[in-house]
Amino acid sequence: MLNIRLIRPVISEIPDSVIEAEVSRFLPEGVQVLAERIGRGPRSIESQADVVEAAGEVVKVARRAEEQGFDAAAIYCFADPGLEAVRECTRIPVAGAGESSMLVAASLGISFSVITVLGSLVGNIYNTASRLGLSHRLASIRSVDIPVLELDDRDRLLQALEREALRAVAKDRAHVLILGCTGMTGTANALEQRLIDSGHSVPVVDPAGACILWAQMLAGLGLCHSRKTYWYTFVEQM
Amino acid sequence: MLNIRLIRPVISEIPDSVIEAEVSRFLPEGVQVLAERIGRGPRSIESQADVVEAAGEVVKVARRAEEQGFDAAAIYCFADPGLEAVRECTRIPVAGAGESSMLVAASLGISFSVITVLGSLVGNIYNTASRLGLSHRLASIRSVDIPVLELDDRDRLLQALEREALRAVAKDRAHVLILGCTGMTGTANALEQRLIDSGHSVPVVDPAGACILWAQMLAGLGLCHSRKTYWYTFVEQM
Amino acid sequence: MLNIRLIRPVISEIPDSVIEAEVSRFLPEGVQVLAERIGRGPRSIESQADVVEAAGEVVKVARRAEEQGFDAAAIYCFADPGLEAVRECTRIPVAGAGESSMLVAASLGISFSVITVLGSLVGNIYNTASRLGLSHRLASIRSVDIPVLELDDRDRLLQALEREALRAVAKDRAHVLILGCTGMTGTANALEQRLIDSGHSVPVVDPAGACILWAQMLAGLGLCHSRKTYWYTFVEQM
Amino acid sequence: MLNIRLIRPVISEIPDSVIEAEVSRFLPEGVQVLAERIGRGPRSIESQADVVEAAGEVVKVARRAEEQGFDAAAIYCFADPGLEAVRECTRIPVAGAGESSMLVAASLGISFSVITVLGSLVGNIYNTASRLGLSHRLASIRSVDIPVLELDDRDRLLQALEREALRAVAKDRAHVLILGCTGMTGTANALEQRLIDSGHSVPVVDPAGACILWAQMLAGLGLCHSRKTYWYTFVEQM
Amino acid sequence: MLNIRLIRPVISEIPDSVIEAEVSRFLPEGVQVLAERIGRGPRSIESQADVVEAAGEVVKVARRAEEQGFDAAAIYCFADPGLEAVRECTRIPVAGAGESSMLVAASLGISFSVITVLGSLVGNIYNTASRLGLSHRLASIRSVDIPVLELDDRDRLLQALEREALRAVAKDRAHVLILGCTGMTGTANALEQRLIDSGHSVPVVDPAGACILWAQMLAGLGLCHSRKTYWYTFVEQM
Amino acid sequence: MLNIRLIRPVISEIPDSVIEAEVSRFLPEGVQVLAERIGRGPRSIESQADVVEAAGEVVKVARRAEEQGFDAAAIYCFADPGLEAVRECTRIPVAGAGESSMLVAASLGISFSVITVLGSLVGNIYNTASRLGLSHRLASIRSVDIPVLELDDRDRLLQALEREALRAVAKDRAHVLILGCTGMTGTANALEQRLIDSGHSVPVVDPAGACILWAQMLAGLGLCHSRKTYWYTFVEQM
């Protein structure tokens, strides 16, 4: 049995069990996921300032996950808060939702667009694509213009996703779409269907599924991040 | 239960069950893999000419896998023979060992080297990296100079892998290594250990594990390739 | 006298002499071209699956061309079927219509668009640009949406070419255009004239001319492909 | 008179006046610099974990600088801790030492190497180059293997810098060198001279000078960062 | 006191003192700028042919500037005429308006557009971006379609700039704008304001300010161009 | 019969007929080449300053060639002096030796090195590769350290070429070599043979042959440069 820690980089009233159920449907038997929220920090991550606020707490949860014997961890947020620092501070593989979604998309077609919540995340998402060397395959970054905490209204969300997805496909020539917020999880299939109804058969990557499956994949391969890129730093005081 | 077809693009006397056992150790419960060899073609894949010879047969096996109800398929060869054509001809996701290994490596460090069997595969591997847009992260392509059909001698193989791996790390500044032939599967851990003994802590990606886990990941996400990149072509006569 | 083998990677009722006449008008005195069709394979090449089907036969014709003493060969199809394998298997230079057209375009302006027959060739064309490292200069890939075997209707073709060419120039900022199918040969001048009539002075590359002149150029320079990229493989059984 | 806030992202016993004197020699009359340390955080920045620890405090100092009427700010650390978040949270231009050094180097020659303190900063520096789109001009990242807090020993430092600089020039073909730590400020001229003595005339960029002059340049141009990339976020609680 | 020579690569009736006043407002106390026109050459620079005509004369003025003891020089034209040759022939740092504007823009947002006078400068501007390795961050090159010698009509200019700027921001996704002609100097603030009135907060880089401040920055850092890229050539006869 | 003007951008005592003979051996019957020297300018081209000095004269010869009815022109120098300006000023296609050699090399293998006369040309050659978008395929630029006017000593030249070629192949992983000076024409075959004797089968591109055959190819295709990139400028006074 593989055990994966899902790190929620926000303070939230939504119980961890709800999130665990959401991501478990992507997983085979033999993989168990346990979620944990950070102790203090932002209620949602919608900017680089939010990333800075959350990152230190994400490191703490990740280090604890290693001590608790988890096989891998995944950061449950498309902005990948603290991802680079976490990899320096742990000896278990750690996946980010933004990074893994883009790498998955890279195997599905020649270009991809990200549809995120707000324009305030454009810089963060562009940086992830640049860091991976995939910015030339990024057709566009679009947003539904709905704050994270209002994503519950699934009708409004799907309508906005469909609008931006059609623009991404028709205007920006995206061959693959990525939901640019883990809070959008569960809408990929419905969005794919709406696009098919409009005559466009393009896959939609769910970042929640991508990060948890990426973590499982790395654990299954017995891999951890390179110490040439991510030195191991035991930071007592953190 | 997810069922994955592992396509072996060579004619071979090694029973499918042996290969199934080799890759199953990467998989969690709930994922089953069944291998199938092509009916005619090369005994090993060591050049673009071999790729051409095998590709048509790979398409046939993949199409049959879809009819048989498999959830996904993986091509068991680092040269990804027929990968692009297969994706056009099937409605299940298909992973390639070369492609998935490079995408996995891209999340582990800033640069990677591939160590393959013979220099005759350099062009093929470079093309895969270029197609993915990752050629600038490819530190080098090196070879152990051992033909595929002689990889059984694991001592000789590991010695040659260690020699080239040390060069890749020290001279080419590789932060991650990839075994450039599925016939090398099972040596990644031993190679990692030898490198640690030489003072280098770098991950080694096993392409057999990468392609089977990539197939599982795509199936888990419910994704198939974009029809904008890979038109669906029902080719009766193939 | 230079002798060039033009390899037609399709089965076709159009006599070789017709094709020879079509391409000879690009050539100076002192260069002779002889065409040869493959023995079995697709009737047209409109997908990666077609490429796979034709590639092995292309290798055979190319190897025979070498034995027959030709100075160079050119593959008469924009999808470059078998190009990489052929280069491994022969000691005469071999040109591809897709590859040579893009390299010619790269010397004519800062960006180029390809206008091909069907959207099913987008992946193939993108891969050629990526392999050459020119994908960032590719303004767009457009299609006239006419199957290869219906290209005879020159009025319909030219009308569709003009429509897509104007879009490529006005919307995609293409400075150079490439006809993305050798079956379109002979329409470049007329298309250039129509674009001038619309106020756009942009060159249109004819892929049939490009591949035959590229083959002549390599033969004139006494060059063959690098054995570091394309190992020479004498494949008895092919 | 332009007033620039120099943000020191470490806790330190070195008085701000010492740092102010160090950077003032790069400035013309008419530009005044005032330094301020963060209230709590790391003693030095040698990893991404250190960056995470410092970033939130850097934002606070930067926001205060805006309220105090400074014309611009510069972050006095090559790792650019908090740079992206700071730009979201302020309406004055903010320079980073890593970013501005690389952009200066880009105008001095066709390739540059960074010589930093420890290998633990390689990932951070590579990411800055990638984010700027300049990673293909980065010849290498080398380190003197001296922790920041031991840089006081200038003889040891210069000797190590010379050793790595000669390797960067001879082996990595660097045409320009960048000191990869603001703690190395003041050694650029001496290093240039030593390289000239070895027959290599290459410029050495001082990151302390680069960031303060970059801040002055942006202020002089009346420019601030784009709100399309860096949304303005008034974050009450930070 | 830093002394900077501003090289005007055109013959012109506008006195040098007018240009000096224009650029001095970007400079702090302690930096003095003196302009000098070339002796013969084009009246404006609107093509590569104009660049060729002016370049030799620019070299002469630059060499004289070095002899006269200037600390740095800047070429007052966005096309950077003679920039590469000047750097070979002098031992003082030399800035180009095109090059420095793009490097400044690279620190302000993820993409930039250049709005120049005429389409005839597109090739030149694209080459500068390519040489710097920044062509993938260049959202577009647009022109106001006004010859240099008619830029005096500031109302017409601003109206055209606003029109193209709005297109660059809305259609081309530019996050930063650059005025692509030093003759447009002084309009950046007004253009920024008009864009804000349309709801877009994007910085506009003034190339006159950029080149003079870049020259001051290099002089302040004590840097000159790399002799590995720009060999020093004492050319007696020039 | 195609007539091509070969523009010699130097003043020289070597008669045009000698150069015509040198390049004619690359050409088929049916193509005639006539050389012409510039009237005044440098004796050799070894720097960007030399390029500036020659460029204006090259434009004059090219414009005359158009008036004289030539079908195409080629500039007989690897530094491509005046190439961009010439294309603006003429309505016949114009080839450059540097540009065409790199595009030819791009079809022969995955990477190429240029071996030129002196290190002073490194910047020029890098810029050509960057402008074409091929800098990532450029393995290295090396020099034989022999001035152009001393290339007559063929033994010395070949020995130096062999030394640098072996380094390019072994150290820099070049798969293709380019002679980086038209003055080296005629040594490619001998160099190829020497490399074969050392166990390396790599093609060597002769820039004199490449530029003349490129000009013939463009003329054969009936192509001229894009007016979107190269506006046509009738410059009376030049």
Side-chain angles (χ1 to χ4, degrees), chain E residues 88-170:
Chain E
E88 286 178 345
C89 297
T90 56
R91 284 166 297 191
I92 55 173
V94 183
E99 182 183 280
S100 55
S101 295
M102 291 190 199
L103 292 169
V104 167
S107 82
L108 298 174
I110 63 180
S111 62
F112 57 85
S113 282
V114 177
I115 307 178
T116 189
V117 281
L118 299 173
S120 51
L121 280 167
V122 166
N124 176 286
I125 291 167
Y126 180 81
N127 286 358
T128 297
S130 291
R131 186 170 60 76
L132 292 171
L134 296 175
S135 57
H136 57 300
R137 297 184 65 186
L138 182 63
S140 61
I141 306 170
R142 292 183 166 274
S143 62
V144 290
D145 212 25
I146 303 174
V148 173
L149 299 179
E150 297 176 24
L151 291 177
D152 281 349
D153 183 345
R154 291 319 229 195
D155 284 345
R156 181 185 169 204
L157 173 58
L158 260 168
Q159 202 170 342
L161 281 172
E162 185 184 3
R163 182 191 67 227
E164 296 304 320
L166 286 170
R167 288 176 183 164
V169 169

Side-chain angles (χ1 to χ4, degrees), chain D residues 1-2 25-31 87 93-94 99 102-111 130-134 136-137 169 174-176 189 192 199-210 213-214 216-218 220-230, chain E residues 1-2 25-31 87 93-94 99 102-111 130-134 136-137 169 174-176 189 192 199-210 213-214 216-218 220-230:
Chain D
M1 178 66 74
L2 285 175
R25 65 203 163 80
F26 296 107
L27 294 169
E29 294 168 63
V31 186
R87 287 174 173 172
V94 184
E99 183 183 280
M102 290 190 199
L103 292 169
V104 167
S107 83
L108 298 174
I110 62 182
S111 62
S130 291
R131 185 170 61 75
L132 292 171
L134 295 175
H136 57 301
R137 298 185 64 186
V169 169
H175 284 205
V176 181
N189 289 353
E192 278 192 7
H200 299 290
S201 183
V202 296
V204 179
V205 180
D206 186 306
L213 282 161
W214 198 272
Q216 178 229 311
M217 180 170 63
L218 295 185
L221 284 162
L223 289 169
C224 196
H225 309 286
S226 173
R227 292 303 161 207
K228 300 281 180 186
T229 302
Y230 304 104
Chain E
M1 178 67 76
L2 285 175
R25 65 202 162 79
F26 296 108
L27 293 170
E29 289 169 66
V31 187
R87 286 174 173 173
V94 183
E99 182 183 280
M102 291 190 199
L103 292 169
V104 167
S107 82
L108 298 174
I110 63 180
S111 62
S130 291
R131 186 170 60 76
L132 292 171
L134 296 175
H136 57 300
R137 297 184 65 186
V169 169
H175 284 204
V176 181
N189 289 352
E192 278 193 8
H200 299 290
S201 182
V202 295
V204 179
V205 180
D206 185 306
L213 282 162
W214 198 271
Q216 178 231 309
M217 180 171 63
L218 295 185
L221 285 162
L223 288 170
C224 195
H225 309 287
S226 174
R227 293 302 162 206
K228 300 281 179 187
T229 301
Y230 304 104

Side-chain angles (χ1 to χ4, degrees), chain B residues 124-171:
Chain B
N124 176 285
I125 292 167
Y126 179 81
N127 286 357
T128 298
S130 291
R131 186 170 60 76
L132 293 171
L134 296 176
S135 57
H136 57 299
R137 297 185 64 186
L138 181 62
S140 61
I141 306 171
R142 290 182 167 273
S143 63
V144 291
D145 212 24
I146 302 174
V148 173
L149 299 179
E150 297 176 24
L151 291 177
D152 282 350
D153 183 342
R154 292 318 229 197
D155 284 345
R156 180 185 169 203
L157 173 58
L158 259 167
Q159 202 170 341
L161 282 172
E162 185 184 3
R163 182 192 67 226
E164 296 303 321
L166 285 171
R167 288 177 184 163
V169 169
K171 289 193 183 174

